[in-house]
Amino acid sequence: MTPPPDVPDERVRAERALCGLVNGLAQRIGDHLREHAAGLGLTAAQATALRELDGPLTMRELAGRMSCEPSNATFVVDRLERQGLVERRAHPTDRRARHLVLTPAGTGLRERLLDLLAADSPLAGLGPERRLALQELLEQALARP
């Protein structure tokens, strides 16, 4: 016998609970990023861009990592460039594209940001093995179409 439509079955309750936990964690990570970004005189978007610039990237690649449209990433990079934190350089193989590269000041600020984010991360309570397990589970969930 199936439960009445207004009584969610265990699968629905479990799905809702898991989604709530993932959303809660995402909110805590976002709050954590915003707090430390503000302390460094950055917006959350600028901090996200700095965090993701771990090597030369095109605007499209950075936008993908930031989960935003390239036009939004361009706005953020324009501000970082005016602050002397990022430069646009010629792409080595594509004349139409530019590579975004951190300046020495940008590299230093990125390192400070990463240290702050790691020091009291919402994930700090998880040991390395559990973090890896969580990462693998999230990657598996995100890989599904």
Side-chain angles (χ1 to χ4, degrees), residues 35 40 58 71 124 129:
E35 176 185 334
L40 295 173
T58 65
S71 60
E129 290 176 11

Side-chain angles (χ1 to χ4, degrees), residues 11-12 21 26 73-74 84 89 100 112 118 130-131 136 138:
R11 185 178 46 110
V12 172
L21 289 169
T74 298
R89 294 187 184 162
L100 304 172
R112 286 180 46 212
R130 288 199 168 189
R131 281 187 198 203
E136 289 170 353
L138 291 171

Side-chain angles (χ1 to χ4, degrees), residues 56-69:
L57 296 174
T58 65
M59 192 66 72
R60 185 167 302 283
E61 290 167 333
L62 179 61
R65 289 186 179 192
M66 293 176 67
S67 300
C68 68
E69 294 296 319

Side-chain angles (χ1 to χ4, degrees), residues 1 10 19 26-27 35 44-46 48 51 57 61 88 97 107 117 124 127-129 137-139:
M1 176 176 240
E10 188 59 33
C19 288
Q27 182 65 46
E35 176 185 334
Q46 289 172 317
T48 299
R51 183 189 66 205
L57 296 174
E61 290 167 333
R88 290 173 166 96
T107 299
L117 293 176
E129 290 176 11
L137 291 168
L138 291 171
E139 286 171 351

Side-chain angles (χ1 to χ4, degrees), residues 104-121:
T107 299
L109 187 58
R110 179 179 187 271
E111 288 172 6
R112 286 180 46 212
L113 174 66
L114 294 177
D115 287 344
L116 289 170
L117 293 176
D120 61 348
S121 165

Side-chain angles (χ1 to χ4, degrees), residues 6-94:
D6 61 336
V7 178
D9 64 17
E10 188 59 33
R11 185 178 46 110
V12 172
R13 278 194 295 274
E15 177 80 9
R16 188 172 55 216
L18 186 57
C19 288
L21 289 169
V22 170
N23 286 335
L25 179 59
Q27 182 65 46
R28 286 193 59 200
I29 290 171
D31 291 346
H32 178 71
L33 175 77
R34 280 186 288 283
E35 176 185 334
H36 289 297
L40 295 173
L42 299 168
T43 66
Q46 289 172 317
T48 299
L50 285 178
R51 183 189 66 205
E52 296 303 326
L53 276 166
D54 56 0
L57 296 174
T58 65
M59 192 66 72
R60 185 167 302 283
E61 290 167 333
L62 179 61
R65 289 186 179 192
M66 293 176 67
S67 300
C68 68
E69 294 296 319
S71 60
N72 292 348
T74 298
F75 175 77
V76 172
V77 169
D78 286 347
R79 290 188 64 190
L80 291 172
E81 190 175 36
R82 282 194 299 274
Q83 292 173 286
L85 302 172
V86 172
E87 319 182 317
R88 290 173 166 96
R89 294 187 184 162
H91 191 285
T93 60
D94 184 349

